[in-house]
Amino acid sequence: MPLPQSVLVVGSGGREHALVRALLASPARPRVIAAPGNAGIALDVPCFPVAADHVPGLVALARREKMEFVVVGPEVPLSLGLVDELTAAGIPAYGPKKDGARLEASKIFTKQILLKYKIPTAPAAFFSEAAPALAYLHTRKIPIVIKADGLAAGKGVIVAQTRIEAETAVREMLEGGKFGASGRQILIEDCLFGEETSLLVVVSGRDYVILPAAQDHKRIGDGDAGPNTGGMGAYSPAEVVTPALLARIEREIVQPSVKAIAAEGMDFRGTLFIGLMLTPDGPSVIEYNARFGDPETQVVLPRLATDVLELLWAAARGELGQIKLSVNPESAICVVLAARGYPDSYPKGDVITLPVASNLPPDTFIFHAGTAQDANGAIVTAGGRVLGVTALAPTLKEAAERAYAVCNQIQFASKYFRRDIGARQLNRS
Ligand code: AMP
Ligand code: GLY
């Protein structure tokens, strides 16, 4: 299959930096550009200052730069219909259209599909008024999970440990306007217990390719303490997902999910990210996302021996059946360096000192997320999650040692990172 000679990557996170690196590594040697990108992506490819949610601007950029392919990273442009617009303009794109993006943009929509197709998931009820929601709460066990229906940058989920906390969350969303329109409808969902794992599945209609499983670290603090974040670190492979368990997940969750999405009339060509809880009764779906996970992508893509350009292009063209995935058996780990204060308020503009590339251990990558260049040309912090340090090694232990050595070499005033990325798996083995 002839591969595209040019690719626009939309987004500005560590995920997009990992995508850019993976596409640059393609034997097809495409011209890669990004919008808006960040200071690190700009070291690798030309970046154009078009915001990731500016749909007409992105379509115009792709046209002007004669892009043969667009890879969309974040959920917001997907849910705004960027891929619908690119398709209408005759530009092939990787990522679902607006209808498929609803699998992430509306948790109620997704829960209805999961229940309709009997895909394992926690029982839930939906509300737009506080009184019936509070009444329902009293019929359920604690802990209980309250979720805003819409997109909330990973913050719209409260796992309430007490009734008071649950009632407060319900009131804040339905009466207090917390999360705005995203919280006008909520789900109240039974709490699942077990280990979480992230499965990235490249989907093209009824075809799919399951990428190696990863585990994220959602909480801000060591030992999984404190509030949820977008993700503070990840590793792959996830050894909890044994071959036997993966076969079960494929049978009970991946296959029925792909079938259900097609049966609902969505021509989904993009990443179906399945967030799973591995409960004592079996795997259960926590959520779908309609895009690559971050930081998961920063550990999964470096492990692929398959040409990522070919993989994503095949999905976009409906030719995924031809792809045979090849995975590097080594372990990858990613430690996220955040700005202290994240996921709440945090400083911006701290100057970042990075080790020179020749001082990096082998197979380590510094992916940029919230970074920018200031007026003096210095690289400064510009977001909550600032950098992702990924290392690849024969064992997870060696990978962790390499990644943490680099984390210690990187300096910025607000630098904060978890010291226990991978610990769960390391302690197991
Ligand atoms: P979500 O945005 O749906 O991925 O939820 C964010 C996080 O909240 C998940 O990664 C879980 O850690 C937690 N969570 C969501 N739903 C549940 C549930 N039903 N039971 C336990 N934890 C959950
Ligand atoms: N790391 C979780 C996510 O990308 O949603």
Side-chain angles (χ1 to χ4, degrees), residues 68-90:
E68 293 176 12
F69 190 31
V70 178
V71 173
V72 185
E75 61 275 19
V76 171
L78 294 170
S79 67
L80 293 175
L82 176 57
V83 173
D84 309 62
E85 296 297 322
L86 288 166
T87 307

Short mmCIF file of all heavy atoms in Angstrom, two decimals, residues 68-90:
data_model
loop_
_atom_site.label_atom_id
_atom_site.label_comp_id
_atom_site.label_asym_id
_atom_site.label_seq_id
_atom_site.Cartn_x
_atom_site.Cartn_y
_atom_site.Cartn_z
N GLU A 68 -1.08 14.98 3.04
CA GLU A 68 -1.76 13.79 2.51
C GLU A 68 -2.44 12.99 3.62
O GLU A 68 -3.20 12.06 3.34
CB GLU A 68 -0.74 12.89 1.79
CG GLU A 68 -0.20 13.55 0.53
CD GLU A 68 0.88 12.73 -0.16
OE1 GLU A 68 1.07 11.55 0.18
OE2 GLU A 68 1.55 13.29 -1.03
N PHE A 69 -2.14 13.35 4.89
CA PHE A 69 -2.69 12.56 6.00
C PHE A 69 -2.66 13.44 7.26
O PHE A 69 -1.72 14.22 7.44
CB PHE A 69 -1.80 11.32 6.20
CG PHE A 69 -2.35 10.28 7.15
CD1 PHE A 69 -3.72 10.06 7.29
CD2 PHE A 69 -1.48 9.46 7.88
CE1 PHE A 69 -4.20 9.07 8.15
CE2 PHE A 69 -1.95 8.48 8.74
CZ PHE A 69 -3.31 8.28 8.86
N VAL A 70 -3.71 13.31 8.09
CA VAL A 70 -3.75 14.04 9.35
C VAL A 70 -4.00 13.04 10.47
O VAL A 70 -4.89 12.20 10.37
CB VAL A 70 -4.86 15.12 9.35
CG1 VAL A 70 -4.92 15.84 10.70
CG2 VAL A 70 -4.63 16.13 8.22
N VAL A 71 -3.19 13.10 11.52
CA VAL A 71 -3.36 12.24 12.69
C VAL A 71 -3.80 13.15 13.84
O VAL A 71 -3.07 14.07 14.21
CB VAL A 71 -2.05 11.51 13.03
CG1 VAL A 71 -2.18 10.74 14.34
CG2 VAL A 71 -1.67 10.56 11.89
N VAL A 72 -4.99 12.88 14.38
CA VAL A 72 -5.54 13.76 15.42
C VAL A 72 -5.28 13.15 16.79
O VAL A 72 -5.72 12.02 17.06
CB VAL A 72 -7.05 13.99 15.20
CG1 VAL A 72 -7.59 15.00 16.21
CG2 VAL A 72 -7.33 14.44 13.78
N GLY A 73 -4.60 13.87 17.67
CA GLY A 73 -4.29 13.36 19.00
C GLY A 73 -5.42 13.51 20.00
O GLY A 73 -5.93 12.52 20.50
N PRO A 74 -5.84 14.74 20.32
CA PRO A 74 -6.75 14.94 21.45
C PRO A 74 -8.24 14.75 21.13
O PRO A 74 -8.65 14.78 19.98
CB PRO A 74 -6.49 16.40 21.87
CG PRO A 74 -5.62 17.00 20.83
CD PRO A 74 -5.34 16.00 19.77
N GLU A 75 -9.01 14.63 22.21
CA GLU A 75 -10.44 14.36 22.06
C GLU A 75 -11.24 15.57 21.61
O GLU A 75 -12.26 15.43 20.93
CB GLU A 75 -11.02 13.80 23.36
CG GLU A 75 -10.93 14.70 24.60
CD GLU A 75 -9.61 14.59 25.35
OE1 GLU A 75 -8.61 14.11 24.77
OE2 GLU A 75 -9.58 15.01 26.53
N VAL A 76 -10.79 16.76 22.00
CA VAL A 76 -11.64 17.93 21.73
C VAL A 76 -11.86 18.16 20.21
O VAL A 76 -12.99 18.26 19.76
CB VAL A 76 -11.11 19.19 22.46
CG1 VAL A 76 -11.85 20.44 22.01
CG2 VAL A 76 -11.27 19.01 23.97
N PRO A 77 -10.79 18.21 19.39
CA PRO A 77 -11.05 18.37 17.96
C PRO A 77 -11.85 17.22 17.37
O PRO A 77 -12.66 17.44 16.44
CB PRO A 77 -9.65 18.44 17.33
CG PRO A 77 -8.69 18.01 18.38
CD PRO A 77 -9.35 18.24 19.71
N LEU A 78 -11.66 16.01 17.89
CA LEU A 78 -12.47 14.88 17.39
C LEU A 78 -13.94 15.13 17.66
O LEU A 78 -14.78 14.96 16.78
CB LEU A 78 -12.02 13.57 18.06
CG LEU A 78 -10.60 13.10 17.71
CD1 LEU A 78 -10.19 11.95 18.62
CD2 LEU A 78 -10.52 12.67 16.25
N SER A 79 -14.23 15.58 18.89
CA SER A 79 -15.65 15.77 19.23
C SER A 79 -16.22 17.01 18.55
O SER A 79 -17.44 17.13 18.41
CB SER A 79 -15.85 15.82 20.75
OG SER A 79 -15.24 16.97 21.27
N LEU A 80 -15.34 17.92 18.10
CA LEU A 80 -15.83 19.09 17.34
C LEU A 80 -16.00 18.76 15.86
O LEU A 80 -16.41 19.61 15.07
CB LEU A 80 -14.85 20.26 17.48
CG LEU A 80 -14.75 20.88 18.88
CD1 LEU A 80 -13.66 21.94 18.93
CD2 LEU A 80 -16.10 21.48 19.30
N GLY A 81 -15.65 17.54 15.45
CA GLY A 81 -15.89 17.13 14.07
C GLY A 81 -14.74 17.44 13.12
O GLY A 81 -14.95 17.57 11.91
N LEU A 82 -13.50 17.51 13.63
CA LEU A 82 -12.37 17.78 12.74
C LEU A 82 -12.25 16.73 11.63
O LEU A 82 -12.03 17.07 10.46
CB LEU A 82 -11.06 17.84 13.55
CG LEU A 82 -9.77 18.03 12.72
CD1 LEU A 82 -9.83 19.29 11.87
CD2 LEU A 82 -8.54 18.05 13.62
N VAL A 83 -12.43 15.46 11.99
CA VAL A 83 -12.26 14.41 10.98
C VAL A 83 -13.39 14.46 9.96
O VAL A 83 -13.17 14.21 8.77
CB VAL A 83 -12.11 13.03 11.66
CG1 VAL A 83 -12.12 11.90 10.63
CG2 VAL A 83 -10.81 13.00 12.47
N ASP A 84 -14.59 14.83 10.39
CA ASP A 84 -15.69 15.00 9.43
C ASP A 84 -15.32 16.08 8.40
O ASP A 84 -15.52 15.91 7.19
CB ASP A 84 -16.98 15.43 10.15
CG ASP A 84 -17.32 14.53 11.32
OD1 ASP A 84 -16.51 14.47 12.28
OD2 ASP A 84 -18.37 13.90 11.30
N GLU A 85 -14.75 17.18 8.90
CA GLU A 85 -14.41 18.30 8.01
C GLU A 85 -13.25 17.94 7.08
O GLU A 85 -13.25 18.30 5.91
CB GLU A 85 -14.05 19.55 8.83
CG GLU A 85 -15.19 20.10 9.67
CD GLU A 85 -16.37 20.56 8.83
OE1 GLU A 85 -16.13 21.12 7.75
OE2 GLU A 85 -17.52 20.34 9.25
N LEU A 86 -12.25 17.24 7.62
CA LEU A 86 -11.11 16.84 6.78
C LEU A 86 -11.59 15.88 5.70
O LEU A 86 -11.19 15.98 4.53
CB LEU A 86 -10.02 16.17 7.64
CG LEU A 86 -9.25 17.12 8.56
CD1 LEU A 86 -8.45 16.34 9.60
CD2 LEU A 86 -8.29 18.00 7.74
N THR A 87 -12.46 14.94 6.09
CA THR A 87 -12.97 13.97 5.12
C THR A 87 -13.73 14.69 4.01
O THR A 87 -13.55 14.41 2.83
CB THR A 87 -13.88 12.95 5.84
OG1 THR A 87 -13.14 12.41 6.94
CG2 THR A 87 -14.32 11.83 4.91
N ALA A 88 -14.54 15.67 4.42
CA ALA A 88 -15.31 16.43 3.41
C ALA A 88 -14.36 17.19 2.49
O ALA A 88 -14.68 17.41 1.31
CB ALA A 88 -16.25 17.41 4.13
N ALA A 89 -13.18 17.55 3.00
CA ALA A 89 -12.21 18.27 2.18
C ALA A 89 -11.32 17.31 1.39
O ALA A 89 -10.39 17.74 0.70
CB ALA A 89 -11.35 19.17 3.07
N GLY A 90 -11.58 16.01 1.53
CA GLY A 90 -10.82 15.02 0.76
C GLY A 90 -9.46 14.69 1.35
O GLY A 90 -8.59 14.16 0.65
#
